[in-house]
Amino acid sequence: MRYLEITVPADRREAVLDVLDDEGTEYVVTEEATSDAIDDAAVVRLPLPTRAVEPILDRLADAGLEDATSRVVVIDAQTVVSREFDELLDRYSHGGTRGERTSRQVLRTKADEFTPGITVYLVMLLISAVVATAGLLADSPAVVVGSMVIAPLLGPALAASVGIVTGDDELQATGFRYQALGVAVVILASIGIATLARLAGLEPGGVDIVVVAELEERVSPNLLSVAVALGAGIAGILSLTRGFSEAIVGVMIAAALIPPAAAVGITTAWGMYGAALGAFVLVVVNVLSINLAALVTLWVAGYRPQGLFEVSPTRRQTVTYVAVFGIALLVLAAPLAGITLLEFQTTQLKSSADESVEAVLEEPEYDHLEEESVEVVLDDDYPIRSIDRVVVTVRGAAFESGLELESDPDADPPEPALADRLHDRVTAEITDPVVVELRYVVSDERGERADDELLVVRTAGGSR
């Protein structure tokens, strides 16, 4: 519920009261002096259901209440006890549903309030970038989540879309400017922190930094990332328009932006520019997805680019932004679709290889061998990788396989035909050439693994 105070000049009073009478609202009119010395100024006070604020203000605007001498203050109201108000509430509840829909005027104010001052914004983003970088390097999901909590991205992520549909050019420009600045600050800060970490020898994944789980999923993103960002944009608008928890939704939006931006900085500092490109594409895709989802959600919810105290703009601007966001998102989502397809193929190949290896090792001549693992390994050509090889590891006792525990890695394999046999079986149902790498893990007579004894045979239809 809302409580409105409307300052009305004398020449608009009759038109305003006619609208309120026609709507069946209760109101109080008082004669008051104003700082603008408006002759015969009156203040009209009235309670309204939240859903009624926007249509009634639009009707008042049509009645001429939109010049510089008119003012409207909207205040939250906890309770209104009135039979007439209950009737008005029922009329604007759309068939008994009393869910609140924030008015366009209040929505614009809330979006502006969630956008902090530039100094606070930059400081909080710097802190978030440091925490996110540390969390990714330490492979700590809890620390990464902490970086999302403190990132003030809800307001900027939604302000642009709210500005577009409400015709507020200043709010729109602020939203876009803050988003671009925020991503740049996080990337640059992460580059600095990651460079210091590398110089200090803090390489949790060795030379290939992206083997860290928290990083790997962001340098080679799939289409599920788009779904996360679209959900964040929709949830963000619903938090503004329906009163859901803004803090929780803010974390969701930060989850789509802060870790990928930090991943760009880390991989850049390590000189892995392909991986950095993949993470940067994810950042851009997420920004576009959030803005597109927010804009479409606002439009579907009935918010239109028109408002009180301003000239109503055309809808062309909104349609233009939707088209630009949509086309850009489709173009950038193409490589993500390729990565998603690769993951699907990898899963299929892994399942097929498991079955093939199990079938081959069940043959009588390989009774002394036991499957230890089957792994599909991708190459390091980020962001769009490809299948490099299938690694099959089998275990056998040293005395059974004929190997000495101190065997030479370049020695002939104990089962010369097994490598080709596995390759033929694994690749029987696929068209692309695949390298099958066979590894023998040697165990002692008691069947305990001797970790230092490993003989590797690589095959691609034959040894290589």
Side-chain angles (χ1 to χ4, degrees):
M1 292 173 289
R2 300 290 186 262
Y3 189 71
L4 275 62
E5 292 188 356
I6 307 174
T7 303
V8 185
D11 58 343
R12 297 286 188 274
R13 184 182 308 183
E14 184 176 350
V16 167
L17 297 183
D18 286 343
V19 170
L20 298 180
D21 289 333
D22 185 59
E23 289 287 343
T25 62
E26 295 180 289
Y27 58 85
V28 175
V29 181
T30 59
E31 304 289 340
E32 297 187 13
T34 67
S35 59
D36 297 323
I38 303 175
D39 294 336
D40 298 325
V43 175
V44 181
R45 297 178 175 88
L46 67 155
L48 285 178
T50 302
R51 286 179 175 269
V53 173
E54 185 173 358
I56 289 180
L57 286 182
D58 287 341
R59 286 199 60 185
L60 292 176
D62 293 338
L65 190 69
E66 56 180 7
D67 57 27
T69 60
S70 301
R71 284 182 296 276
V72 176
V73 178
V74 182
I75 306 170
D76 284 335
Q78 297 298 320
T79 304
V80 177
V81 181
S82 168
R83 179 177 300 175
E84 287 78 3
F85 182 83
D86 289 341
E87 293 175 356
L88 189 65
L89 181 61
D90 290 336
R91 180 150 56 90
Y92 279 96
S93 64
H94 298 278
T97 301
R98 296 189 176 219
E100 293 190 349
R101 174 187 182 275
T102 302
S103 67
R104 187 176 64 252
Q105 295 78 10
V106 175
L107 177 66
R108 183 166 51 190
T109 302
K110 291 180 68 175
D112 185 57
E113 289 176 350
F114 282 129
T115 304
I118 189 65
T119 301
V120 174
Y121 182 66
L122 292 178
V123 170
M124 294 300 291
L125 277 179
L126 285 172
I127 297 173
S128 179
V130 172
V131 175
T133 304
L136 292 174
L137 289 174
D139 198 18
S140 173
V143 177
V144 175
V145 171
S147 70
M148 306 172 193
V149 173
I150 60 179
L153 293 177
L154 176 61
L158 304 178
S161 298
V162 172
I164 291 171
V165 300
T166 60
D168 190 330
D169 294 337
E170 182 178 355
L171 184 61
Q172 169 191 326
T174 299
F176 285 135
R177 184 172 63 251
Y178 268 55
Q179 290 181 70
L181 181 62
V183 170
V185 166
V186 174
I187 291 176
L188 293 176
S190 297
I191 291 176
I193 299 299
T195 300
L196 293 177
R198 188 180 185 188
L199 293 176
L202 302 178
E203 298 188 33
V207 177
D208 188 4
I209 188 68
V210 295
V211 300
V212 177
E214 286 292 318
L215 271 173
E216 189 172 17
E217 65 187 45
R218 293 178 171 93
V219 299
S220 188
N222 56 30
L223 285 176
L224 292 178
S225 305
V226 179
V228 171
L230 289 173
I234 295 172
I237 290 301
L238 292 178
S239 71
L240 291 182
T241 60
R242 304 292 177 174
F244 297 156
S245 174
E246 291 88 0
I248 295 177
V249 176
V251 172
M252 186 176 181
I253 290 177
L257 299 179
I258 294 297
V264 175
I266 293 172
T267 49
T268 300
W270 254 262
M272 302 187 66
Y273 301 115
L277 176 61
F280 183 73
V281 169
L282 177 59
V283 173
V284 177
V285 165
N286 285 350
V287 169
L288 290 172
S289 299
I290 290 172
N291 282 274
L292 177 62
L295 195 55
V296 172
T297 303
L298 284 169
W299 190 268
V300 171
Y303 294 95
R304 296 292 184 265
Q306 60 184 0
L308 199 62
F309 310 130
E310 62 187 24
V311 177
S312 300
T314 66
R315 300 183 181 184
R316 183 178 302 172
Q317 179 177 242
T318 303
V319 175
T320 299
Y321 275 108
V322 169
V324 170
F325 291 156
I327 293 172
L329 184 57
L330 287 175
V331 172
L332 291 176
L336 273 63
I339 295 172
T340 304
L341 179 60
L342 173 64
E343 292 180 351
F344 177 73
Q345 294 172 339
T346 301
T347 302
Q348 282 190 318
L349 179 57
K350 172 67 167 58
S351 177
S352 174
D354 276 328
E355 295 176 358
S356 299
V357 172
E358 182 180 354
V360 171
L361 294 183
E362 285 179 353
E363 297 175 5
E365 61 265 38
Y366 303 123
D367 285 343
H368 60 284
L369 296 177
E370 182 179 337
E371 176 186 338
E372 182 159 294
S373 67
V374 176
E375 180 185 5
V376 178
V377 179
L378 303 180
D379 61 25
D380 295 328
D381 189 15
Y382 293 95
I384 303 178
R385 308 164 74 187
S386 58
I387 297 174
D388 183 58
R389 64 191 186 278
V390 177
V391 178
V392 179
T393 305
V394 297
R395 183 173 65 249
F399 72 95
E400 292 179 331
S401 64
L403 289 175
E404 300 294 336
L405 284 179
E406 294 182 357
S407 58
D408 183 355
D410 296 325
D412 291 333
E415 304 289 347
L418 180 57
D420 289 336
R421 184 81 178 84
L422 287 173
H423 176 272
D424 293 341
R425 189 63 180 263
V426 169
T427 59
E429 298 181 1
I430 59 176
T431 57
D432 296 331
V434 174
V435 173
V436 177
E437 177 180 294
L438 177 60
R439 297 184 177 187
Y440 293 91
V441 175
V442 181
S443 57
D444 60 23
E445 295 182 3
R446 295 170 298 177
E448 296 179 357
R449 176 170 177 164
D451 291 329
D452 294 335
E453 314 307 327
L454 189 64
L455 180 63
V456 179
V457 178
R458 293 184 176 89
T459 70
S463 299
R464 70 168 191 173

